[in-house]
Amino acid sequence: MLIFVNKYPMHHHSLSSLWQSLVRSRYVSMVFAFGLDFWLALPLLAVIIWFGGQSVANQILSYGSETQLYLEANNQVRVQLSTAVLAIKAEIKQQAGFTKVSIKTADSAIKKLELELRTTDIAAVEAGITQELGLDLPTVKRITRYEFRE
């Protein structure tokens, strides 16, 4: 039978004296002097924030929502204006392949409208103007002036 005898038994008194000597030590006092006690706790705080933020993000991302009810990005809104059209100027840009249409109105709120049509053909331009403005073709032909640009 072996019996181990500790030559230096640790008592409560010896632990407190060890702690006091550690606190009085030159290196530990330098740590507290530089504020490193704060910096040593910072990684633990970062880990807590990391996992807490991750769980909140997972909860938010797993939340189902009906975006179709709120966002309709592919639908175009058609506005029907009831204004008296005074003149239409169609600037046909041959090389660019489109026509810039400027419309002067008699309305006090909307004095000028502009459209861009992806065609340089006069018949297609007139059809586009009638479709966009809701006017009849003879009226569009009568008040439209054409300007050709290269």
Side-chain angles (χ1 to χ4, degrees), residues 57-75:
N58 286 339
Q59 243 180 349
I60 290 173
L61 291 175
S62 67
Y63 177 72
S65 63
E66 294 292 326
T67 56
Q68 191 71 17
L69 297 176
Y70 305 109
L71 297 175
E72 293 289 335
N74 293 333
N75 293 343

Side-chain angles (χ1 to χ4, degrees), residues 90-139:
E91 189 176 323
I92 299 174
K93 300 186 180 193
Q94 295 281 353
Q95 288 183 341
F98 71 94
T99 302
K100 180 180 173 185
V101 180
S102 300
I103 301 127
K104 287 186 184 179
T105 66
D107 193 358
S108 62
I110 302 172
K111 295 196 181 274
K112 187 176 182 181
L113 297 171
E114 289 190 354
L115 303 171
E116 271 190 18
L117 302 172
R118 298 273 176 208
T119 183
T120 57
D121 181 46
I122 293 177
V125 169
E126 289 173 347
I129 293 171
T130 58
Q131 183 180 1
E132 290 293 325
L133 298 180
L135 298 173
D136 58 342
L137 190 59
T139 305

Side-chain angles (χ1 to χ4, degrees), residues 24-57:
R24 282 190 228 128
S25 131
R26 189 175 85 176
Y27 298 113
V28 174
S29 63
M30 282 179 19
V31 166
F32 289 113
F34 287 124
L36 291 180
D37 55 342
F38 167 75
W39 294 109
L40 292 174
L42 197 58
L44 178 64
L45 181 64
V47 167
I48 291 170
I49 290 173
W50 176 271
F51 285 114
Q54 187 176 11
S55 69
V56 169

